[in-house]
Coordinates of all heavy atoms in Angstrom, one line a residue:
M3 N 0.8 -1.2 0.0 CA 0.0 0.0 0.0 C 0.9 1.3 0.0 O 1.9 1.3 0.6 CB -0.9 0.1 1.2 CG -2.0 -0.9 1.2 SD -3.3 -0.4 0.1 CE -4.7 -1.3 0.8
S4 N 0.4 2.3 -0.7 CA 1.0 3.6 -0.7 C 0.0 4.6 -0.2 O -1.2 4.5 -0.5 CB 1.5 3.9 -2.1 OG 2.4 3.0 -2.6
T5 N 0.4 5.6 0.5 CA -0.5 6.7 0.9 C -0.3 7.8 -0.1 O 0.8 8.3 -0.4 CB -0.1 7.1 2.3 OG1 -0.2 6.0 3.2 CG2 -1.1 8.2 2.8
I6 N -1.5 8.3 -0.6 CA -1.5 9.5 -1.5 C -2.3 10.6 -0.9 O -3.3 10.3 -0.1 CB -2.0 9.1 -2.9 CG1 -3.5 8.7 -2.9 CG2 -1.1 8.1 -3.5 CD1 -4.1 8.6 -4.2
S7 N -2.0 11.8 -1.2 CA -2.8 13.0 -0.8 C -3.1 13.7 -2.1 O -2.2 14.0 -2.9 CB -1.9 13.9 0.1 OG -1.6 13.2 1.3
V8 N -4.4 14.0 -2.3 CA -4.8 14.7 -3.4 C -5.9 15.7 -3.0 O -6.5 15.5 -1.9 CB -5.4 13.8 -4.5 CG1 -4.4 12.9 -5.1 CG2 -6.6 12.9 -4.0
T9 N -6.1 16.7 -3.8 CA -7.2 17.6 -3.7 C -8.2 17.4 -4.8 O -7.7 17.5 -6.0 CB -6.8 19.1 -3.6 OG1 -5.8 19.2 -2.5 CG2 -7.9 20.0 -3.4
V10 N -9.4 17.0 -4.6 CA -10.3 16.7 -5.6 C -11.5 17.6 -5.4 O -12.2 17.6 -4.4 CB -10.8 15.2 -5.6 CG1 -11.7 14.9 -6.8 CG2 -9.6 14.3 -5.7
N11 N -11.8 18.4 -6.5 CA -12.9 19.3 -6.5 C -12.8 20.2 -5.2 O -13.9 20.5 -4.6 CB -14.2 18.6 -6.5 CG -14.3 17.7 -7.8 OD1 -13.7 18.0 -8.8 ND2 -15.1 16.6 -7.7
G12 N -11.6 20.6 -4.8 CA -11.4 21.5 -3.7 C -11.4 20.9 -2.3 O -11.2 21.5 -1.3
R13 N -11.5 19.6 -2.3 CA -11.6 18.9 -1.0 C -10.3 18.0 -0.9 O -10.0 17.3 -1.9 CB -12.8 18.0 -0.9 CG -13.0 17.3 0.4 CD -14.4 16.7 0.5 NE -14.4 15.8 1.6 CZ -15.4 14.9 1.9 NH1 -16.4 14.8 1.1 NH2 -15.3 14.2 3.0
S14 N -9.7 18.0 0.2 CA -8.4 17.2 0.4 C -8.8 15.8 0.9 O -9.6 15.6 1.7 CB -7.5 17.9 1.5 OG -7.1 19.1 1.0
Y15 N -8.0 14.8 0.3 CA -8.1 13.4 0.7 C -6.8 12.8 0.9 O -5.8 13.2 0.2 CB -8.8 12.6 -0.5 CG -10.2 13.1 -0.8 CD1 -10.4 14.0 -1.8 CD2 -11.3 12.4 -0.2 CE1 -11.7 14.4 -2.1 CE2 -12.6 12.8 -0.5 CZ -12.8 13.8 -1.5 OH -14.1 14.2 -1.8
Q16 N -6.7 11.9 1.8 CA -5.5 11.1 2.0 C -5.9 9.7 2.2 O -6.8 9.4 3.0 CB -4.7 11.6 3.2 CG -3.4 10.9 3.4 CD -2.5 11.6 4.5 OE1 -3.0 12.1 5.5 NE2 -1.2 11.5 4.3
N17 N -5.4 8.8 1.3 CA -5.9 7.4 1.3 C -4.7 6.5 1.0 O -3.8 6.8 0.3 CB -6.9 7.2 0.2 CG -8.2 7.9 0.4 OD1 -8.4 9.0 -0.1 ND2 -9.1 7.4 1.3
D18 N -4.9 5.3 1.5 CA -3.9 4.2 1.2 C -4.5 3.5 -0.1 O -5.7 3.3 -0.2 CB -3.8 3.2 2.3 CG -3.2 3.7 3.5 OD1 -2.3 4.6 3.4 OD2 -3.5 3.2 4.6
V19 N -3.6 3.3 -1.1 CA -4.0 2.7 -2.3 C -3.0 1.6 -2.7 O -1.8 1.7 -2.4 CB -4.1 3.7 -3.5 CG1 -5.2 4.7 -3.2 CG2 -2.8 4.4 -3.8
E20 N -3.5 0.6 -3.4 CA -2.5 -0.3 -4.0 C -1.7 0.4 -5.1 O -2.3 1.2 -5.8 CB -3.3 -1.5 -4.6 CG -4.0 -2.4 -3.6 CD -3.0 -3.3 -2.9 OE1 -1.9 -3.5 -3.4 OE2 -3.4 -3.8 -1.8
P21 N -0.5 0.1 -5.2 CA 0.3 0.8 -6.2 C -0.2 0.6 -7.7 O 0.0 1.5 -8.5 CB 1.7 0.2 -6.1 CG 1.8 -0.2 -4.7 CD 0.4 -0.7 -4.3
R22 N -0.9 -0.4 -7.9 CA -1.5 -0.7 -9.3 C -2.8 -0.1 -9.5 O -3.4 -0.2 -10.6 CB -1.5 -2.2 -9.5 CG -2.5 -2.8 -8.5 CD -2.6 -4.3 -8.7 NE -3.5 -4.8 -7.7 CZ -3.7 -6.1 -7.4 NH1 -3.1 -7.0 -8.1 NH2 -4.6 -6.5 -6.6
T23 N -3.4 0.6 -8.5 CA -4.7 1.2 -8.7 C -4.7 2.3 -9.7 O -3.9 3.3 -9.6 CB -5.2 1.8 -7.3 OG1 -5.3 0.7 -6.4 CG2 -6.6 2.4 -7.5
L24 N -5.6 2.2 -10.7 CA -5.7 3.3 -11.7 C -6.5 4.5 -11.0 O -7.3 4.3 -10.2 CB -6.5 2.8 -12.9 CG -5.8 1.8 -13.7 CD1 -6.8 1.2 -14.8 CD2 -4.5 2.4 -14.4
L25 N -6.1 5.7 -11.5 CA -6.8 6.9 -11.0 C -8.3 6.8 -11.1 O -9.0 7.2 -10.2 CB -6.2 8.1 -11.7 CG -6.7 9.5 -11.2 CD1 -6.5 9.7 -9.7 CD2 -6.1 10.6 -12.0
V26 N -8.8 6.3 -12.2 CA -10.2 6.3 -12.4 C -10.9 5.4 -11.4 O -11.9 5.7 -10.9 CB -10.6 5.8 -13.9 CG1 -10.1 4.4 -14.1 CG2 -12.1 6.0 -14.1
H27 N -10.2 4.3 -11.0 CA -10.8 3.4 -10.0 C -10.7 4.1 -8.6 O -11.6 3.9 -7.8 CB -10.1 2.1 -10.0 CG -10.4 1.3 -11.2 ND1 -9.5 0.5 -11.9 CD2 -11.6 1.1 -11.9 CE1 -10.0 -0.1 -12.9 NE2 -11.3 0.3 -12.9
Y28 N -9.7 4.8 -8.3 CA -9.5 5.5 -7.1 C -10.7 6.5 -6.9 O -11.4 6.6 -5.9 CB -8.2 6.2 -7.0 CG -8.1 7.1 -5.8 CD1 -8.0 6.6 -4.5 CD2 -8.0 8.5 -6.0 CE1 -7.9 7.5 -3.4 CE2 -7.9 9.4 -4.9 CZ -7.9 8.9 -3.6 OH -7.8 9.7 -2.6
L29 N -10.9 7.3 -8.0 CA -11.9 8.3 -8.0 C -13.3 7.7 -7.8 O -14.1 8.2 -7.0 CB -11.9 9.2 -9.3 CG -10.7 10.0 -9.5 CD1 -10.6 10.6 -10.9 CD2 -10.6 11.2 -8.4
R30 N -13.6 6.7 -8.5 CA -14.9 6.0 -8.5 C -15.1 5.2 -7.2 O -16.1 5.4 -6.5 CB -15.1 5.1 -9.7 CG -15.3 5.9 -11.0 CD -15.5 4.9 -12.1 NE -16.7 4.1 -11.9 CZ -17.9 4.5 -12.2 NH1 -18.1 5.7 -12.7 NH2 -18.9 3.6 -12.0
D31 N -14.2 4.4 -6.9 CA -14.4 3.4 -5.8 C -14.0 3.9 -4.4 O -14.6 3.5 -3.4 CB -13.6 2.1 -6.1 CG -14.0 1.5 -7.5 OD1 -15.1 1.8 -8.0 OD2 -13.1 0.7 -8.0
S32 N -12.9 4.7 -4.3 CA -12.5 5.2 -3.0 C -13.2 6.5 -2.7 O -13.6 6.7 -1.5 CB -11.0 5.4 -3.0 OG -10.3 4.2 -3.2
L33 N -13.4 7.4 -3.6 CA -14.0 8.7 -3.3 C -15.5 8.7 -3.7 O -16.2 9.7 -3.4 CB -13.2 9.8 -4.1 CG -11.7 9.8 -3.8 CD1 -11.1 11.1 -4.4 CD2 -11.4 9.8 -2.3
G34 N -16.0 7.8 -4.5 CA -17.4 7.7 -4.8 C -17.8 8.8 -5.9 O -18.9 9.1 -6.0
L35 N -16.8 9.2 -6.6 CA -17.0 10.2 -7.7 C -17.3 9.5 -9.0 O -16.4 9.3 -9.9 CB -15.9 11.2 -7.8 CG -15.6 12.0 -6.5 CD1 -14.3 12.8 -6.6 CD2 -16.8 13.0 -6.3
T36 N -18.5 9.0 -9.1 CA -18.9 8.1 -10.3 C -19.2 8.9 -11.5 O -19.6 8.2 -12.5 CB -20.0 7.2 -9.9 OG1 -21.1 8.0 -9.4 CG2 -19.6 6.2 -8.8
G37 N -19.0 10.2 -11.5 CA -19.2 10.9 -12.8 C -18.1 10.7 -13.7 O -18.2 10.9 -14.9
T38 N -17.0 10.2 -13.2 CA -15.8 9.8 -14.1 C -16.1 8.4 -14.5 O -16.1 7.5 -13.7 CB -14.5 9.9 -13.3 OG1 -14.3 11.2 -12.8 CG2 -13.3 9.5 -14.2
H39 N -16.3 8.2 -15.8 CA -16.8 6.9 -16.3 C -15.7 6.1 -16.9 O -14.6 6.7 -17.3 CB -17.9 7.1 -17.4 CG -19.2 7.6 -16.8 ND1 -20.1 6.8 -16.3 CD2 -19.6 8.8 -16.5 CE1 -21.1 7.5 -15.8 NE2 -20.8 8.7 -15.9
I40 N -15.9 4.8 -17.0 CA -15.0 3.9 -17.7 C -15.8 3.5 -18.9 O -16.8 2.8 -18.8 CB -14.6 2.7 -16.9 CG1 -13.9 3.2 -15.6 CG2 -13.7 1.7 -17.7 CD1 -13.7 2.1 -14.5
G41 N -15.3 4.0 -20.1 CA -16.1 3.7 -21.3 C -15.5 2.7 -22.3 O -16.1 2.3 -23.3
C42 N -14.2 2.3 -22.0 CA -13.5 1.4 -22.9 C -12.4 0.7 -22.1 O -12.2 1.0 -21.0 CB -12.9 2.2 -24.1 SG -11.5 3.3 -23.6
D43 N -11.7 -0.2 -22.8 CA -10.5 -0.8 -22.2 C -9.3 -0.6 -23.1 O -8.4 -1.4 -23.1 CB -10.8 -2.2 -21.8 CG -11.2 -3.1 -23.0 OD1 -11.2 -2.6 -24.1 OD2 -11.5 -4.3 -22.8
T44 N -9.4 0.5 -23.9 CA -8.4 0.7 -24.9 C -7.8 2.1 -24.7 O -7.0 2.5 -25.5 CB -8.9 0.5 -26.3 OG1 -10.0 1.4 -26.5 CG2 -9.3 -0.9 -26.6
S45 N -8.2 2.9 -23.7 CA -7.7 4.3 -23.5 C -8.0 5.2 -24.7 O -7.2 6.1 -25.0 CB -6.2 4.3 -23.1 OG -6.0 3.5 -22.0
Q46 N -9.1 5.0 -25.3 CA -9.4 5.8 -26.5 C -10.7 6.6 -26.4 O -10.9 7.6 -27.1 CB -9.5 4.9 -27.8 CG -8.2 4.3 -28.1 CD -8.3 3.5 -29.4 OE1 -9.3 3.3 -30.0 NE2 -7.1 3.1 -29.9
C47 N -11.6 6.3 -25.5 CA -12.9 7.0 -25.5 C -12.9 8.3 -24.8 O -13.7 9.2 -25.2 CB -14.0 6.1 -24.9 SG -13.9 5.9 -23.1
G48 N -12.2 8.5 -23.8 CA -12.1 9.8 -23.1 C -13.2 9.9 -22.0 O -13.3 11.0 -21.4
A49 N -14.0 8.9 -21.8 CA -15.0 9.0 -20.8 C -14.5 9.2 -19.3 O -15.2 9.6 -18.4 CB -15.9 7.8 -20.8
C50 N -13.2 8.9 -19.2 CA -12.6 9.0 -17.9 C -11.8 10.3 -17.7 O -11.1 10.4 -16.7 CB -11.7 7.8 -17.7 SG -10.3 7.8 -18.9
T51 N -12.0 11.2 -18.6 CA -11.2 12.5 -18.5 C -11.4 13.3 -17.3 O -12.6 13.5 -16.9 CB -11.4 13.3 -19.8 OG1 -11.1 12.5 -20.9 CG2 -10.6 14.5 -19.8
V52 N -10.4 13.7 -16.7 CA -10.4 14.7 -15.5 C -9.3 15.7 -15.8 O -8.5 15.5 -16.6 CB -10.2 13.9 -14.2 CG1 -11.3 12.9 -13.9 CG2 -8.8 13.3 -14.1
M53 N -9.4 16.8 -15.0 CA -8.4 17.8 -15.0 C -7.4 17.5 -13.9 O -7.8 17.3 -12.7 CB -8.9 19.2 -14.8 CG -9.9 19.6 -15.9 SD -9.2 19.7 -17.5 CE -8.2 21.2 -17.3
L54 N -6.1 17.4 -14.2 CA -5.1 17.1 -13.2 C -4.1 18.2 -13.3 O -3.4 18.4 -14.3 CB -4.4 15.7 -13.4 CG -3.5 15.3 -12.4 CD1 -3.6 13.8 -12.1 CD2 -2.0 15.6 -12.7
D55 N -4.0 19.1 -12.2 CA -3.2 20.3 -12.2 C -3.4 21.1 -13.5 O -2.4 21.6 -14.1 CB -1.7 19.9 -12.0 CG -1.4 19.3 -10.6 OD1 -2.2 19.7 -9.7 OD2 -0.5 18.6 -10.4
G56 N -4.6 21.2 -13.9 CA -5.0 22.1 -15.0 C -4.8 21.5 -16.4 O -5.0 22.2 -17.4
V57 N -4.5 20.2 -16.4 CA -4.3 19.5 -17.7 C -5.3 18.4 -17.8 O -5.4 17.6 -16.8 CB -2.8 19.0 -17.8 CG1 -2.6 18.2 -19.1 CG2 -1.8 20.2 -17.8
S58 N -5.9 18.3 -18.9 CA -6.9 17.1 -19.1 C -6.1 15.9 -19.3 O -5.1 15.8 -20.0 CB -7.8 17.4 -20.2 OG -7.2 17.4 -21.5
V59 N -6.5 14.8 -18.5 CA -5.8 13.5 -18.6 C -6.9 12.4 -18.6 O -8.0 12.6 -18.1 CB -4.9 13.3 -17.4 CG1 -3.7 14.3 -17.4 CG2 -5.6 13.3 -16.1
K60 N -6.5 11.3 -19.2 CA -7.4 10.2 -19.2 C -7.0 9.4 -17.9 O -5.9 8.9 -17.8 CB -7.2 9.3 -20.4 CG -7.7 10.0 -21.7 CD -7.4 9.1 -22.9 CE -7.8 9.8 -24.2 NZ -7.5 9.0 -25.3
S61 N -8.0 9.4 -16.9 CA -7.6 8.8 -15.6 C -7.5 7.3 -15.7 O -7.1 6.7 -14.7 CB -8.7 9.2 -14.6 OG -10.0 8.8 -14.9
C62 N -7.8 6.7 -16.8 CA -7.6 5.2 -16.9 C -6.2 4.9 -17.4 O -5.8 3.8 -17.5 CB -8.6 4.6 -17.9 SG -8.3 5.0 -19.6
T63 N -5.4 6.0 -17.7 CA -4.0 5.8 -18.1 C -3.0 6.2 -17.1 O -1.8 6.1 -17.3 CB -3.7 6.6 -19.4 OG1 -3.8 8.0 -19.1 CG2 -4.7 6.2 -20.5
L64 N -3.5 6.6 -15.9 CA -2.6 7.0 -14.8 C -2.9 6.2 -13.6 O -4.0 5.8 -13.3 CB -2.9 8.5 -14.4 CG -2.5 9.6 -15.4 CD1 -3.0 10.9 -14.9 CD2 -1.0 9.6 -15.5
L65 N -1.8 5.9 -12.9 CA -2.0 5.3 -11.6 C -2.3 6.3 -10.5 O -1.9 7.5 -10.6 CB -0.7 4.6 -11.2 CG -0.2 3.5 -12.1 CD1 1.2 3.0 -11.8 CD2 -1.2 2.3 -12.0
A66 N -3.1 5.9 -9.5 CA -3.4 6.9 -8.5 C -2.2 7.4 -7.8 O -2.1 8.6 -7.5 CB -4.3 6.2 -7.5
V67 N -1.2 6.6 -7.6 CA 0.1 7.1 -7.0 C 0.8 8.2 -7.8 O 1.5 9.0 -7.3 CB 1.1 6.0 -6.7 CG1 0.5 5.0 -5.6 CG2 1.5 5.2 -7.9
Q68 N 0.5 8.2 -9.1 CA 1.1 9.3 -10.0 C 0.4 10.6 -9.7 O 0.9 11.6 -10.1 CB 1.0 8.9 -11.4 CG 1.9 7.7 -11.8 CD 1.7 7.3 -13.3 OE1 0.6 6.8 -13.6 NE2 2.7 7.6 -14.1
A69 N -0.8 10.6 -9.1 CA -1.5 11.8 -8.9 C -1.3 12.3 -7.5 O -1.8 13.4 -7.1 CB -3.0 11.5 -9.0
D70 N -0.4 11.7 -6.7 CA -0.1 12.2 -5.4 C 0.3 13.6 -5.4 O 1.2 14.0 -6.2 CB 1.0 11.3 -4.8 CG 1.3 11.6 -3.3 OD1 0.4 12.0 -2.6 OD2 2.4 11.4 -2.9
G71 N -0.3 14.4 -4.6 CA 0.0 15.9 -4.5 C -0.7 16.7 -5.5 O -0.6 17.9 -5.5
A72 N -1.5 16.1 -6.4 CA -2.2 16.9 -7.5 C -3.5 17.4 -7.0 O -4.1 17.0 -6.1 CB -2.4 16.0 -8.7
K73 N -3.9 18.4 -7.8 CA -5.3 19.0 -7.7 C -6.1 18.4 -8.9 O -5.6 18.6 -10.1 CB -5.3 20.5 -7.7 CG -4.7 21.1 -6.5 CD -4.7 22.6 -6.5 CE -4.1 23.2 -5.2 NZ -4.1 24.6 -5.2
I74 N -7.1 17.8 -8.6 CA -7.9 17.1 -9.6 C -9.3 17.7 -9.7 O -9.9 18.0 -8.6 CB -8.0 15.6 -9.3 CG1 -6.6 15.0 -9.3 CG2 -8.9 14.9 -10.3 CD1 -6.6 13.6 -8.7
T75 N -9.8 17.9 -10.8 CA -11.2 18.3 -11.0 C -12.0 17.3 -11.8 O -11.5 16.9 -12.9 CB -11.3 19.7 -11.7 OG1 -10.6 20.6 -11.0 CG2 -12.8 20.1 -11.8
T76 N -13.0 16.7 -11.2 CA -13.9 15.8 -12.0 C -15.1 16.5 -12.4 O -15.3 17.7 -12.1 CB -14.3 14.6 -11.1 OG1 -15.2 15.1 -10.1 CG2 -13.1 13.9 -10.4
I77 N -16.0 15.9 -13.2 CA -17.2 16.6 -13.6 C -18.0 17.1 -12.5 O -18.7 18.1 -12.6 CB -18.0 15.6 -14.6 CG1 -19.0 16.5 -15.3 CG2 -18.6 14.4 -13.8 CD1 -19.6 15.9 -16.5
E78 N -18.0 16.4 -11.3 CA -18.7 16.8 -10.2 C -18.3 18.2 -9.7 O -19.0 18.9 -9.0 CB -18.6 15.8 -9.0 CG -19.3 14.5 -9.3 CD -18.5 13.4 -9.9 OE1 -17.4 13.8 -10.4 OE2 -18.8 12.2 -9.8
G79 N -17.0 18.5 -10.0 CA -16.4 19.8 -9.5 C -16.6 21.0 -10.5 O -16.1 22.1 -10.2
L80 N -17.4 20.8 -11.5 CA -17.5 21.9 -12.5 C -18.7 22.8 -12.2 O -18.7 23.9 -12.7 CB -17.8 21.3 -13.9 CG -16.6 20.5 -14.5 CD1 -17.0 20.0 -15.9 CD2 -15.3 21.4 -14.6
A81 N -19.6 22.4 -11.3 CA -20.7 23.3 -10.9 C -20.2 24.5 -10.2 O -19.2 24.4 -9.5 CB -21.7 22.5 -10.1
K82 N -20.8 25.6 -10.4 CA -20.5 26.9 -9.7 C -21.7 27.5 -9.1 O -22.8 27.6 -9.8 CB -19.9 27.9 -10.7 CG -18.4 27.8 -11.0 CD -18.0 28.9 -11.8 CE -16.5 28.8 -12.2 NZ -16.1 29.8 -13.1
D83 N -21.6 27.9 -7.9 CA -22.7 28.5 -7.2 C -24.0 27.8 -7.3 O -25.1 28.4 -7.5 CB -22.9 30.0 -7.7 CG -21.6 30.8 -7.6 OD1 -20.9 30.6 -6.6 OD2 -21.3 31.6 -8.5
G84 N -24.0 26.5 -7.2 CA -25.2 25.7 -7.3 C -25.7 25.5 -8.7 O -26.8 24.9 -8.8
Q85 N -25.0 26.0 -9.7 CA -25.5 25.9 -11.1 C -24.7 24.8 -11.8 O -23.4 24.8 -11.7 CB -25.4 27.2 -11.8 CG -26.2 28.3 -11.2 CD -27.7 28.1 -11.3 OE1 -28.1 27.7 -12.4 NE2 -28.4 28.2 -10.2
F86 N -25.3 23.9 -12.5 CA -24.6 22.9 -13.2 C -23.8 23.6 -14.4 O -24.2 24.5 -15.0 CB -25.6 21.9 -13.9 CG -26.1 20.9 -12.9 CD1 -27.5 20.6 -12.8 CD2 -25.3 20.2 -12.0 CE1 -28.0 19.7 -11.9 CE2 -25.7 19.3 -11.1 CZ -27.1 19.0 -11.1
H87 N -22.7 23.0 -14.7 CA -21.9 23.3 -15.8 C -22.6 22.7 -17.1 O -23.3 21.7 -16.9 CB -20.5 22.7 -15.7 CG -19.5 23.1 -16.8 ND1 -19.5 22.5 -18.0 CD2 -18.6 24.1 -16.8 CE1 -18.6 23.0 -18.7 NE2 -18.0 24.0 -18.1
P88 N -22.5 23.4 -18.2 CA -23.1 22.8 -19.4 C -22.8 21.3 -19.7 O -23.6 20.5 -20.1 CB -22.6 23.7 -20.6 CG -22.4 25.0 -19.9 CD -21.9 24.7 -18.5
L89 N -21.6 20.9 -19.3 CA -21.2 19.5 -19.5 C -22.1 18.6 -18.6 O -22.5 17.5 -19.0 CB -19.8 19.3 -19.1 CG -18.7 19.3 -20.2 CD1 -17.4 19.0 -19.6 CD2 -19.0 18.4 -21.3
Q90 N -22.4 19.1 -17.4 CA -23.3 18.3 -16.5 C -24.7 18.3 -17.0 O -25.5 17.4 -16.6 CB -23.2 18.9 -15.1 CG -21.8 18.8 -14.5 CD -21.7 19.6 -13.2 OE1 -22.0 20.8 -13.2 NE2 -21.4 18.9 -12.1
E91 N -25.1 19.3 -17.8 CA -26.4 19.3 -18.4 C -26.5 18.5 -19.6 O -27.6 18.3 -20.2 CB -26.8 20.8 -18.7 CG -26.8 21.7 -17.5 CD -28.1 21.7 -16.8 OE1 -29.1 21.0 -17.2 OE2 -28.2 22.4 -15.7
G92 N -25.4 18.0 -20.1 CA -25.3 17.2 -21.3 C -25.4 18.1 -22.6 O -25.6 17.6 -23.7
E93 N -25.0 19.4 -22.4 CA -25.0 20.3 -23.6 C -23.7 20.2 -24.3 O -22.6 19.8 -23.7 CB -25.2 21.7 -23.1 CG -26.6 21.9 -22.5 CD -26.8 23.4 -22.0 OE1 -26.0 24.2 -22.5 OE2 -27.6 23.6 -21.2
E94 N -23.7 20.5 -25.5 CA -22.4 20.5 -26.3 C -21.7 21.8 -25.9 O -22.2 22.9 -25.9 CB -22.7 20.5 -27.8 CG -21.5 20.3 -28.6 CD -21.9 20.1 -30.1 OE1 -22.8 19.3 -30.4 OE2 -21.2 20.6 -30.9
V95 N -20.4 21.7 -25.6 CA -19.6 22.8 -25.2 C -18.3 22.8 -25.9 O -17.8 21.7 -26.4 CB -19.3 22.9 -23.7 CG1 -20.6 23.1 -23.0 CG2 -18.7 21.7 -23.2
S96 N -17.6 23.9 -26.0 CA -16.3 23.9 -26.6 C -15.3 23.4 -25.7 O -15.5 23.4 -24.4 CB -15.9 25.3 -27.1 OG -15.6 26.1 -25.9
T97 N -14.1 22.9 -26.2 CA -13.1 22.4 -25.3 C -12.5 23.5 -24.5 O -12.0 23.3 -23.4 CB -12.0 21.7 -26.1 OG1 -11.5 22.6 -27.1 CG2 -12.5 20.4 -26.7
E98 N -12.6 24.8 -24.9 CA -12.0 25.9 -24.2 C -12.8 26.1 -22.9 O -12.2 26.3 -21.9 CB -12.2 27.2 -25.0 CG -11.0 28.1 -24.9 CD -11.1 29.2 -26.0 OE1 -11.9 30.1 -25.7 OE2 -10.4 29.0 -27.0
S99 N -14.1 26.0 -22.9 CA -14.8 26.2 -21.6 C -14.6 25.0 -20.7 O -14.7 25.2 -19.5 CB -16.3 26.4 -21.9 OG -16.9 25.2 -22.5
V100 N -14.3 23.8 -21.2 CA -14.0 22.7 -20.3 C -12.7 22.8 -19.6 O -12.5 22.4 -18.5 CB -14.1 21.4 -21.1 CG1 -13.7 20.2 -20.3 CG2 -15.4 21.2 -21.7
A101 N -11.7 23.5 -20.3 CA -10.4 23.6 -19.7 C -10.3 24.6 -18.6 O -9.2 24.9 -18.2 CB -9.4 23.9 -20.9
Q102 N -11.3 25.2 -18.2 CA -11.3 26.3 -17.2 C -12.1 25.8 -16.0 O -13.2 26.3 -15.7 CB -11.9 27.6 -17.8 CG -11.2 28.1 -19.0 CD -9.8 28.4 -18.8 OE1 -9.4 29.0 -17.7 NE2 -8.9 28.2 -19.8
P103 N -11.6 24.9 -15.2 CA -12.3 24.4 -14.0 C -12.4 25.5 -12.9 O -11.6 26.5 -13.0 CB -11.5 23.3 -13.5 CG -10.1 23.6 -14.0 CD -10.3 24.3 -15.3
A104 N -13.4 25.4 -12.0 CA -13.6 26.4 -11.0 C -12.4 26.6 -10.2 O -11.5 25.9 -9.9 CB -14.7 25.9 -10.1
Ligands
FES26 S1 -12.1 4.7 -20.1 FE1 -11.9 5.1 -22.3 S2 -10.2 6.4 -22.4 FE2 -10.3 6.0 -20.3

């Protein structure tokens, strides 16, 4: 087991994880953030995309231990002032607006 510390959607977490745990599984299974989806097993669909230190990454391609110390934004973290982000509403948005998390 390895201990990691991350900030996800503005909230700090510290958890023990198996070194082989993928970030997407950590977010979904340990933190309960199921808005990050697993849509393929080939790392091509992008359903698992999150922002990690301001950069979009496919969380199925990273180990949770690689995110140690990082600030992560999942789709749950895109809402502002109680208002859903267009992505949460299922609207079509430009990639520019997605790259600017709260
Ligand atoms: S689950 Fe498809 S790219 Fe990550």
Side-chain angles (χ1 to χ4, degrees):
M3 288 284 203
S4 298
T5 302
I6 63 168
S7 298
V8 293
T9 302
V10 182
N11 302 333
R13 185 172 168 191
S14 297
Y15 297 90
Q16 186 170 30
N17 296 96
D18 292 330
V19 296
E20 292 285 340
R22 65 182 178 189
T23 302
L24 292 173
L25 181 58
V26 65
H27 290 140
Y28 171 70
L29 293 170
R30 290 180 58 83
D31 302 338
S32 297
L33 304 188
L35 297 171
T36 56
T38 303
H39 290 272
I40 301 169
C42 69
D43 58 4
T44 57
S45 301
Q46 294 184 350
C47 75
C50 61
T51 302
V52 298
M53 299 296 289
L54 188 140
D55 290 335
V57 177
S58 65
V59 297
K60 294 177 183 175
S61 60
C62 72
T63 65
L64 289 174
L65 297 170
V67 294
Q68 291 176 292
D70 186 27
K73 290 184 180 177
I74 299 167
T75 303
T76 68
I77 193 163
E78 290 93 341
L80 296 179
K82 275 188 185 173
D83 304 322
Q85 299 294 311
F86 284 131
H87 185 277
L89 268 181
Q90 295 170 304
E91 300 273 357
E93 296 177 21
E94 191 171 315
V95 295
S96 72
T97 55
E98 217 169 82
S99 65
V100 175
Q102 304 295 324

